[in-house]
């Protein structure tokens, strides 16, 4: 077997300083999720491949880590969480009172070409609100996506859209089905050349161009309605968007309407949105009213889950962290660790007792376990520990300790009980 | 493609109530890890298969989720974390001052037959202390494994061993290599019949039997030393165990020496230990001084990492939770959620404002987004929410709210600011 003793391409090791940042960001965002009434869930890392090929879109299914397990099942590492949550809902909650509000944090996997902020294992932190199709439920979810990042002081753009607008205009053209799919793909990838190439083949190119170049607020939508007046589906999309804006604007006016937001996933049905920062898409979501029905009992005509509406979003957690780093928004984490060292090994039992007392009092205490001389221990502690406790003859005999502040260089002779919890 | 719209066999969905339990246990144990000076790390879910076949033992490598990725690499879902941490150390930390103290929480994967407390995706929560071979480092790690569980009031047995004892006795017999490996496997699996079958083929069966039936404290080891006096490796093992007991006993005397603990992993070299509760093994660990060397540069004669000693353990996190449940040690989690509902849709904007104010003040507030009548909303809230806020004409006009306690049935007319943070 040919292999390297190193990590795989596109995968990452997270060092202690990385984990501190990740935990800080995760905790802040999860707190907001909870304040909005979302409860945490977790679904398996491995799922049947088939549940994702139903409706996730070609781009995702082509890049899946798919394989056969020892039972010859077609399985994969989940490429995103929304489909898995739909499956989860049907298996565990389909007879529960609505709505259900779930949040999740989990790794997802895609075999793409690794590049800046694109990895083969990355994390989705997101929410799903299942069972309500009211505009205020869309608005709550969009507001949560917005304020989850705002509290971290991040500078970003929230862009709102409704996929019925583009799809409605496309459906009113004489373009082939293949061309329509291609153009949606090009819009998602910002491939202007590809878009223009296809537009040459239709008479409605001008309308489509006007829709794509639209950027504005609610007030500007009337003009657009006039432009697409002959596309009933597009009008419906604009009106759905207007309905949620009544509520979104109660939370914030800091958004742009942009119909270039079409999302790469096939399951969205109505209002969609994205958040961008530092030239990266860091969040995506929207309404998907037909996905859960795919998991319901096909043979039952009365299965009420066929029509379960849902709306949600996921942050690209790794990209949120990239953006926070780029904007210098990661705080400096306090290091209040104490290293306990001793002049002679006979004092080691006393040091172990001191360590135990400090830990009991919620103070992080590391015992030197290298049998080092004090000087060597101090060198090791430098820049790693905020404090060093030294135990020598005097400390041992009087049952006290010497606490050295590695930043100031000052030291004090103290009772263990006098050390205040530092973290 | 043939598939089911359900989760895979051996995999689990975690519901909100499951996640509350998991987060409670994880947080408590991680806090102890931090107090002992361990820092969190994370390695990829997918690794080269080869790093595990080097030294993890046949049993694990046979049950791996292994496959070829799109780049034709032999990869697998990691079956355990220690090997991955050794790889992590060499790639990221090999020139750092020792010791390094890492902890981790991650899913691991094994294709075993699913049964009670055995799943195909399960979680390891553990620590690795890299770079020290002193007895006090073994003792610190064993003490941490012990007190991590003790704080949760769990009733369990800590069993200590040193694998050199059994291996030493086996090496002094005339048994074939195959028989020696078999007997270690049978010991690990508590297969007495298999053990006895092999013992028939050796003259030293009596000594081995005495070692296997030994149970006791440090004081009983002298007698055992006499029994194995002709097996120098076994004597060495007993003395290594005695050395760590000096320190272990400073933390607790609540242990049993049991040489049946041989561990199913090939990389252990010295002292090993297991924790059992409710007829399950819930923790395992020990010293592995030769593993990290496997990842060092084979061509460099001066590679100092060849001799990097290490000691660590992992809790079977899912089994810890099973044991806590079996012993009724999961606390009841407070539900302080508030649902905000309204008599007429004209008050919805006011309700959104109230929700925003409460969330700003760290109070979990759910807005009713189903356009339900108050009575229906109350029915939905029953047993799900501790409080319901009702907004009618009077509340709206006076800018106040009515707060109903769903447990007592009592209600109060209040300013929003009068609601105390409940969680």
């Amino acid at each position: 077997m040919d292999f390297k003793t190193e990590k795989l391409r596109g995968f990452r090791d997270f060092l202690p300083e990385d984990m501190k940042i990740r935990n800080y960001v995760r905790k802040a965002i999860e707190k907001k999720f909870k304040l909005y009434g979302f409860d945490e869930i977790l679904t398996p890392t491995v799922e049947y491949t088939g549940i994702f090929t139903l409706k996730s879109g070609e781009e995702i299914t082509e890049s899946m880590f798919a394989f056969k397990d020892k039972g010859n099942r077609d399985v994969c590492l989940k490429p995103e969480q929304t489909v898995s949550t739909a499956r989860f809902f049907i298996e565990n909650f389909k007879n529960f009172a609505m709505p259900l509000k779930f949040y999740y944090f989990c790794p997802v996997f895609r075999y793409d070409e690794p590049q800046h902020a694109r990895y083969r294992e990355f994390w989705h932190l997101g929410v799903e609100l299942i069972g309500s199709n009211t505009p205020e439920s869309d608005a709550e979810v969009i507001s949560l996506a917005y304020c989850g990042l705002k509290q971290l002081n991040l500078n970003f753009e929230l862009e709102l859209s409704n996929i019925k607008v583009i799809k409605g205009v496309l459906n009113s053209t004489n373009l082939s089905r293949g061309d329509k799919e291609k153009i949606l793909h090009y819009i998602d990838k910002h491939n202007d050349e590809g878009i223009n190439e296809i537009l040459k083949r239709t008479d409605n190119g001008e309308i489509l161009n006007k829709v794509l170049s639209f950027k504005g607020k609610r007030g500007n939508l009337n003009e657009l309605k006039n432009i697409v007046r002959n596309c009933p589906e597009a009008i419906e999309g604009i009106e759905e968007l207007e309905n949620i804006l009544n509520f979104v604007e109660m939370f914030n006016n800091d958004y742009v309407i942009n119909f270039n937001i079409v999302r790469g996933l096939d399951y969205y049905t109505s209002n969609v949105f994205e958040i961008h920062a530092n030239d990266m898409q860091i969040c995506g979501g929207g309404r998907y009213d037909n996905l859960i029905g795919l998991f319901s009992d096909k043979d039952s005509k009365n299965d009420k889950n066929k029509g379960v509406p849902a709306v949600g979003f996921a942050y690209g957690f790794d990209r949120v962290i990239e953006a926070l780093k780029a904007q210098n928004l990661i705080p400096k984490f306090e290091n209040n660790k104490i290293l306990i060292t001793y002049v002679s090994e006979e004092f080691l039992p006393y040091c172990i007792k001191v360590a135990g007392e400090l830990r009991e009092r919620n103070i992080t205490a590391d015992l030197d376990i290298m049998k080092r001389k004090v000087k060597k221990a101090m060198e090791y502690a430098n820049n790693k520990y905020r404090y060093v406790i030294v135990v020598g003859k005097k400390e041992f005999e009087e049952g006290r300790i010497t606490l050295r502040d590695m930043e100031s260089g000052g030291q004090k002779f103290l009772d263990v009980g006098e050390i205040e919890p530092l973290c």
Side-chain angles (χ1 to χ4, degrees), chain A residues 148-326:
Chain A
L149 296 176
K150 214 67 198 170
Q151 65 170 336
L152 296 163
N153 298 316
L154 192 72
N155 191 11
F156 59 84
E157 296 91 43
L158 168 64
E159 303 191 25
L160 307 179
S161 175
N162 185 300
I163 55 165
K164 286 180 183 170
V165 179
I166 283 289
K167 285 189 175 170
V169 174
L170 280 176
N171 287 338
S172 76
T173 66
N174 57 348
L175 288 171
S176 70
R177 197 178 148 171
D179 273 347
K180 286 178 196 164
E181 280 172 13
K182 254 187 226 161
I183 205 165
L184 283 173
H185 179 72
Y186 290 152
I187 293 169
D188 194 42
K189 295 288 158 203
H190 309 292
N191 178 349
D192 290 340
E193 210 172 304
I195 295 168
N196 288 329
E197 193 54 42
I198 292 176
L199 288 186
K200 283 180 192 157
R201 295 176 216 149
T202 173
D203 297 340
N204 286 24
E206 204 189 338
I207 294 181
L208 198 66
N209 250 329
K210 281 191 176 160
V211 170
L212 287 177
S213 61
F214 179 91
K215 289 223 175 190
K217 298 271 179 184
R218 181 155 54 150
N220 310 108
L221 286 173
N222 283 332
E223 194 188 328
L224 192 73
K225 270 187 188 166
N226 193 35
I227 293 168
V228 301
R229 62 189 175 277
N230 294 324
C231 314
E233 195 184 349
I235 294 287
E236 189 182 311
I238 293 173
E239 284 171 355
E240 285 173 357
L241 188 55
E242 285 175 325
N243 281 336
I244 69 165
L245 288 174
N246 294 328
F247 297 102
V248 168
E249 287 172 358
M250 288 184 203
F251 296 109
N252 83 88
N253 274 303
D254 184 14
Y255 69 87
V256 173
I257 298 165
N258 176 2
F259 295 104
N260 285 288
I261 307 295
V262 296
R263 311 288 300 123
L265 296 156
D266 283 353
Y267 49 67
Y268 289 106
T269 51
S270 171
N271 299 306
V272 292
F273 66 100
E274 288 183 359
I275 295 176
H276 294 254
N278 297 77
D279 291 325
M280 292 175 292
Q281 186 204 328
I282 59 171
C283 177
R287 177 161 287 287
Y288 52 97
D289 288 346
N290 298 335
L291 178 64
I292 290 172
L294 297 177
F295 293 91
S296 62
D297 185 355
K298 300 286 176 302
D299 301 327
S300 158
K301 280 191 179 153
N302 297 321
D303 191 325
K304 66 172 184 158
N305 293 304
K306 281 193 178 154
V308 175
V311 56
F313 73 83
Y315 294 122
F317 184 71
D318 309 85
R319 292 181 173 192
V320 168
I321 287 173
E322 283 297 310
L324 287 166
K325 280 182 182 169

Side-chain angles (χ1 to χ4, degrees), chain A residues 334-341 358 363-368 374 377-391 401-414 418-423:
Chain A
E334 285 274 339
N335 169 15
N336 284 320
K337 277 189 176 181
I338 299 177
L339 180 69
I340 304 171
T341 178
L358 290 173
I363 298 169
T364 296
D366 243 355
L367 187 68
D368 187 62
V374 169
M378 288 282 188
E379 279 170 27
Y380 168 75
N382 206 16
N383 295 320
K384 281 195 202 69
Y385 291 82
R386 175 64 199 276
Y387 300 95
V388 174
I389 283 177
V390 185
V391 172
I401 53 101
T402 295
L403 183 74
R404 185 185 174 88
D405 185 331
M406 297 300 284
E407 271 179 28
S408 69
Q411 59 184 49
K412 287 179 187 165
F413 187 62
L414 295 169
E418 289 178 82
I419 301 176
E420 295 288 323
L422 308 158
C423 49

Side-chain angles (χ1 to χ4, degrees), chain A residues 66-105:
Chain A
F67 58 101
K68 280 198 186 281
D69 76 1
K70 284 179 197 279
N72 208 35
R73 300 173 190 90
D74 285 301
V75 303
C76 70
L77 307 185
K78 63 182 163 191
E80 56 102 31
Q81 179 61 39
T82 300
V83 166
S84 198
T85 307
R87 197 269 307 141
F88 170 94
F89 165 78
I90 290 290
E91 254 184 278
N92 301 289
F93 282 95
K94 66 176 176 181
N95 296 316
F96 280 59
M98 305 284 192
L100 290 155
K101 296 169 84 172
F102 299 131
Y103 84 81
Y104 56 83
F105 177 70

Side-chain angles (χ1 to χ4, degrees), chain A residues 6-14 65 108-123 318:
Chain A
E6 59 188 41
K7 63 180 173 295
L8 284 158
R9 191 165 138 73
F11 289 82
R12 286 167 294 165
D13 284 329
F14 295 102
F65 276 83
V108 294
F109 303 82
R110 293 186 204 162
Y111 196 92
D112 282 328
E113 195 51 28
Q115 50 184 275
H116 177 69
R118 175 167 296 174
Y119 309 100
R120 289 183 176 165
E121 177 175 28
F122 55 103
W123 273 257
D318 309 85

